[in-house]
Amino acid sequence: MKLADEFLKSIDKRTSLIGIVGLGYVGLPLVREFCAAGFKVMGFDVDPKKVSMLKAGRTYIRHLPAKHFTKLIKQRLFTPTTDMKKLGKPDAVLICVPTPLDKMREPDVSYVVNTTVEIAKSLRKGQLIALESTTYPGTTREVMLPILEAGGLKVERDFFVAYSPEREDPGNPDFTTKDIPKVVGGLGPHSLKIATRLYDAVVCEAVPVSSCEAAEACKIVENVYRCVNIALVNELKMLFDRMGIDVWEVIKGANTKPFGFQAFYPGPGLGGHCIPIDPFYLSWKAREFGMPTRFIELAGEINTHMPEYVVQRVADALNTRGKPLKGSKILVLGLAYKRDVDDVRESPSVMLLEMLQERGGKVDYHDPYVPSGKPMREHNITHLRSVPLTPASLKKFDCVLISTDHTCVDYDMVCRHAKLVVDTRNAAGAKRRGKNVVKA
Ligand SMILES: NC(=O)c1ccc[n+]([C@@H]2O[C@H](COP(=O)([O-])OP(=O)(O)OC[C@H]3O[C@@H](n4cnc5c(N)ncnc54)[C@H](O)[C@@H]3O)[C@@H](O)[C@H]2O)c1
């Protein structure tokens, strides 16, 4: 097929122009990799602040330094824009927009729909449209395709459609976008071949599968797997606490088995844009097939209970020191949802902060990467400011609750100077454990 052959040649020659829609935690690293592989990239985002920050040489994601993108912009390899009318220019348009849950905890694919509507307005022959956002199996074919074909062009004959899930792990120094194989599904053989060739040019390996649905399911399975296993160790943590056994020691011991065991670690609850959300995309879709997803529901129940459990542990720990939670000064240490990132989306720390306040605690937080509260969909924390973490400031608190284990924090210092430490991440470690340290 001539259109497909031309596309393949343009990939090999690096003359195809790439469009990346959604310049966030997933989209920006992808810009970097496509430019590194020799492609020119147009970046699209509806947020004018992000686009102007990029143009002004500033970053909004801590682990993605601005200078790299400034250089790409200067070399005219990367053009960020808010102008969706230009979506007809790129040969391949890759979509990396949010896929959250709505207030009823059902999939909110409105960002995917809005983006597809914008793309459809200027869709032209020969374009490849690839969705990267995490979503339920069927989204590409059932939600996107009708919008794209509404103008009269036909997939596989006039344009191409693929799904390739993003597996980015922000802040992980061992695996960057380039080092992570990419599963690819297409809405037909031409779409699959083009998308596979394109991703093969950029990441270590493109892994073709038989359909977009299979590729969509791969990503959801990866996240369900994590969600269920984290719930398991969270439940075991609560049991072992009662039995006087340290779950961290147990996991460390079990992990010496060279096969058949993969370590997952407990925490104060799930956070981030993926694990607390994506499994429920599948639960929702499963209802259409009359099938409950009991593992997912149970894991959700256990994981969402964790902040409550942690608050109770804080209350108990204060109680044994003759202090009620009400009126106690508590420092939540770490606001980001995981170590060494500045992302607070769905962070359990925010839940903990609010729950402790509701019970009368006087709560502050410290996070080296989140100097002030960021706007969040369901929480109002923009008035909060990170307080300093010094021996003197620590002494002012009745309890320090470690909810995120950023590696740059001096936990020895924290344990030496805090009156009481409740540690949900094993950050204080077995060696440093003093009488004032409680694991939770
Ligand atoms: N963050 C991760 O670690 C991660 C990892 C793997 C997969 N994912 C998935 O990737 C997708 C994107 O996640 P993210 O973390 O990059 O989100 P993000 O919020 O960091 O970035 C999304 C960007 O899309 C922009 N946007 C929203 N609607 C738009 C529209 N209609 N047109 C253009 N731009 C629009 C937003 O302004 C934002 O800059 C989600 O589906 C997520 O589940 C995320």
Side-chain angles (χ1 to χ4, degrees):
M1 189 216 192
K2 200 164 163 249
L3 263 187
D5 291 341
E6 278 172 10
F7 206 136
L8 294 171
K9 269 189 218 145
S10 75
I11 294 170
D12 295 343
K13 287 196 268 168
R14 304 293 192 265
T15 52
S16 21
L17 178 63
I18 310 300
I20 294 179
V21 188
L23 301 173
Y25 284 87
V26 163
L28 264 190
L30 215 54
V31 168
R32 188 184 54 198
E33 296 310 339
F34 271 93
C35 289
F39 293 95
K40 282 193 176 168
V41 178
M42 292 181 74
F44 297 86
D45 204 293
V46 284
D47 186 346
K49 252 196 261 159
K50 284 187 178 153
V51 170
S52 47
M53 279 179 85
L54 284 169
K55 285 182 175 166
R58 285 159 61 206
T59 187
Y60 41 85
I61 299 179
R62 196 190 67 85
H63 64 274
L64 300 170
K67 64 174 192 274
H68 189 80
F69 296 97
T70 311
K71 198 170 156 203
L72 294 175
I73 292 170
K74 267 194 194 142
Q75 293 170 327
R76 294 179 187 278
L77 290 174
F78 172 41
T79 321
T81 177
T82 53
D83 187 357
M84 301 297 157
K85 289 194 199 88
K86 292 182 178 157
L87 278 164
K89 284 192 174 182
D91 301 295
V93 181
L94 316 179
I95 306 169
C96 312
V97 296
T99 43
L101 294 172
D102 65 17
K103 281 210 165 103
M104 304 305 288
R105 298 200 65 74
E106 292 191 345
D108 174 4
V109 290
S110 61
Y111 299 87
V112 174
V113 169
N114 294 343
T115 304
T116 313
V117 167
E118 288 300 327
I119 292 169
K121 286 181 191 166
S122 46
L123 184 69
R124 60 170 170 82
K125 279 194 174 187
Q127 270 188 314
L128 166 72
I129 314 300
L131 179 63
E132 300 222 3
S133 305
T134 309
T135 186
Y136 57 82
T139 309
T140 312
R141 193 184 304 274
E142 295 160 15
V143 177
M144 290 178 63
L145 186 60
I147 302 171
L148 293 171
E149 286 190 330
L153 295 181
K154 278 263 153 251
V155 71
E156 287 289 286
R157 186 192 70 193
D158 303 314
F159 67 102
F160 310 100
V161 178
Y163 178 81
S164 180
E166 188 49 60
R167 289 163 153 172
E168 180 73 10
D169 185 14
N172 184 336
D174 300 328
F175 295 99
T176 60
T177 313
K178 185 164 70 56
D179 311 315
I180 307 171
K182 239 168 149 353
V183 169
V184 187
L187 284 185
H190 298 306
S191 300
L192 179 62
K193 196 166 177 189
I194 292 168
T196 306
R197 182 80 63 94
L198 183 64
Y199 286 116
D200 243 338
V202 174
V203 298
C204 59
E205 188 189 359
V207 184
V209 294
S210 66
S211 64
C212 285
E213 286 77 2
E216 288 160 336
C218 284
K219 173 69 189 183
I220 292 266
V221 165
E222 290 163 17
N223 286 355
V224 167
Y225 174 76
R226 282 189 64 70
C227 173
V228 167
N229 280 287
I230 292 168
L232 176 66
V233 287
N234 276 336
E235 188 173 68
L236 293 177
K237 170 176 84 166
M238 294 186 282
L239 171 67
F240 288 159
D241 263 349
R242 284 193 188 187
M243 296 169 75
I245 299 169
D246 181 344
V247 72
W248 297 92
E249 187 187 358
V250 173
I251 295 169
K252 194 174 169 203
N255 203 28
T256 57
K257 183 178 176 182
F259 52 89
F261 182 84
Q262 191 192 345
F264 286 86
Y265 298 99
L270 293 182
H273 189 351
C274 298
I275 314 295
I277 290 172
D278 305 341
F280 296 104
Y281 267 63
L282 187 60
S283 300
W284 177 85
K285 188 68 179 172
R287 280 186 235 149
E288 192 182 316
F289 296 85
M291 175 117 189
T293 48
R294 285 175 291 167
F295 270 104
I296 295 175
E297 300 299 338
L298 179 61
E301 207 179 289
I302 294 170
N303 288 328
T304 49
H305 169 68
M306 292 317 293
E308 232 171 273
Y309 170 79
V310 170
V311 168
Q312 191 53 49
R313 295 281 290 168
V314 171
D316 292 347
L318 283 166
N319 192 44
T320 54
R321 282 152 185 83
K323 288 224 100 199
L325 202 165
K326 189 170 180 180
S328 287
K329 287 186 169 177
I330 300 163
L331 179 72
V332 171
L333 182 43
L335 201 63
Y337 80 91
K338 72 167 182 176
R339 176 195 294 178
D340 300 344
V341 300
D342 57 0
D343 190 350
V344 296
R345 288 177 295 177
E346 311 286 329
S347 175
S349 303
V350 177
M351 299 273 294
L352 289 170
L353 210 136
E354 287 182 350
M355 289 165 83
L356 290 165
Q357 271 170 346
E358 273 163 25
R359 292 184 59 171
K362 293 182 177 152
V363 192
D364 279 304
Y365 85 91
H366 172 82
D367 192 309
Y369 304 130
V370 191
S372 58
K374 296 182 177 186
M376 292 179 82
R377 261 190 293 270
E378 285 170 18
H379 305 273
N380 182 10
I381 56 162
T382 46
H383 59 287
L384 298 175
R385 300 284 173 274
S386 173
V387 301
L389 193 71
T390 61
S393 70
L394 281 165
K395 287 197 174 88
K396 290 184 196 152
F397 291 96
D398 298 303
C399 176
V400 175
L401 170 59
I402 301 176
S403 52
T404 316
D405 52 345
H406 291 307
T407 42
C408 67
V409 171
D410 181 349
Y411 295 101
D412 271 333
M413 188 272 284
V414 172
C415 293
R416 261 201 321 276
H417 296 282
K419 290 178 196 151
L420 169 66
V421 177
V422 176
D423 182 6
T424 67
R425 300 281 192 179
N426 200 31
K431 269 192 242 155
R432 301 178 196 131
R433 227 173 144 188
K435 279 199 181 126
N436 63 333
V437 181
V438 173
K439 293 197 183 185

